[in-house]
Amino acid sequence: MASTPTALPKPQPGQPCSCGSGRAYEACCGPLLAGTRRPDTAEELMRSRFTAHVARDYAYLHRTYQPTANLPYQPEANPWTQDWTRLVIHAHEPGANPDTAYVDFSAYFVDQAGEHLHPEKSEFNRVDGQWLYTRTIRQGPAPAKAAAKVGRNDPCPCGSGKKYKHCCLAKA
């Protein structure tokens, strides 16, 4: 029987970063959360925002969310908390201009029922040189892509080296 993953501990210097980069916290998301360095890419901002969720650094989340970035931070009396276990980045894609990008990711959290998946694709904008989280584009898994249709004169996908019409098309 597989054991349920445990929540990530609060990020600490000398420990691997919560974002899953494989780097130490102080060389990865630590300077971003401390405000001594800005993220260079939308993916780096996404990773740091995940780490901020783990650290429950709501002020950082406020500063890096475009609608609230220029507003004073007011802590909530009872902030929403989640016990996060890991982050997997699937894609980091450029947008229509150099100041827009998209990050497709899966974040995992744990509760008394076990580990759960939160798949999402998010939009990020660079404003005055700083990347900011803008909005969720999609919650849930990416839509399945249809397989490319094989033409009669294309090589057969079975690997025989014959044309499709002389191989597997006749068997279909």
Side-chain angles (χ1 to χ4, degrees):
M1 181 175 176
S3 64
T4 300
T6 58
L8 289 167
K10 185 174 180 176
Q12 299 288 324
Q15 300 294 319
C17 192
S18 304
C19 76
S21 68
R23 297 167 47 206
Y25 173 70
E26 65 273 14
C28 191
C29 293
L32 304 175
L33 272 63
T36 58
R37 187 173 81 73
R38 288 181 168 180
D40 293 327
T41 65
E43 179 180 343
E44 195 172 29
L45 177 61
M46 178 61 234
R47 289 182 179 280
S48 69
R49 285 181 55 83
F50 177 82
T51 300
H53 277 287
V54 173
R56 296 193 165 107
D57 185 344
Y58 303 113
Y60 181 79
L61 296 169
H62 177 87
R63 286 191 313 271
T64 59
Y65 179 47
Q66 191 168 355
T68 61
N70 294 320
L71 301 174
Y73 173 65
Q74 296 293 323
E76 292 182 29
N78 295 307
W80 179 75
T81 60
Q82 197 68 351
D83 291 325
W84 299 99
T85 58
R86 59 193 163 115
L87 173 69
V88 177
I89 303 289
H90 303 295
H92 177 207
E93 306 161 356
N97 66 64
D99 292 326
T100 301
Y102 302 93
V103 178
D104 197 344
F105 66 93
S106 294
Y108 295 82
F109 64 94
V110 67
D111 63 16
Q112 56 274 30
E115 188 178 48
H116 306 278
L117 166 67
H118 175 82
E120 185 176 310
K121 183 174 186 175
S122 296
E123 180 182 68
F124 297 83
N125 287 322
R126 187 169 35 205
V127 178
D128 297 327
Q130 179 174 343
W131 282 103
L132 297 170
Y133 165 69
T134 307
R135 65 190 176 120
T136 299
I137 299 295
R138 182 196 77 247
Q139 277 191 334
K145 294 181 181 175
K149 190 172 182 178
V150 180
R152 292 175 41 83
N153 291 315
D154 291 340
C156 191
C158 76
S160 67
K162 297 178 183 178
K163 287 186 178 183
Y164 181 60
K165 67 182 176 185
H166 293 299
C167 190
C168 291
L169 178 62
K171 300 173 191 169

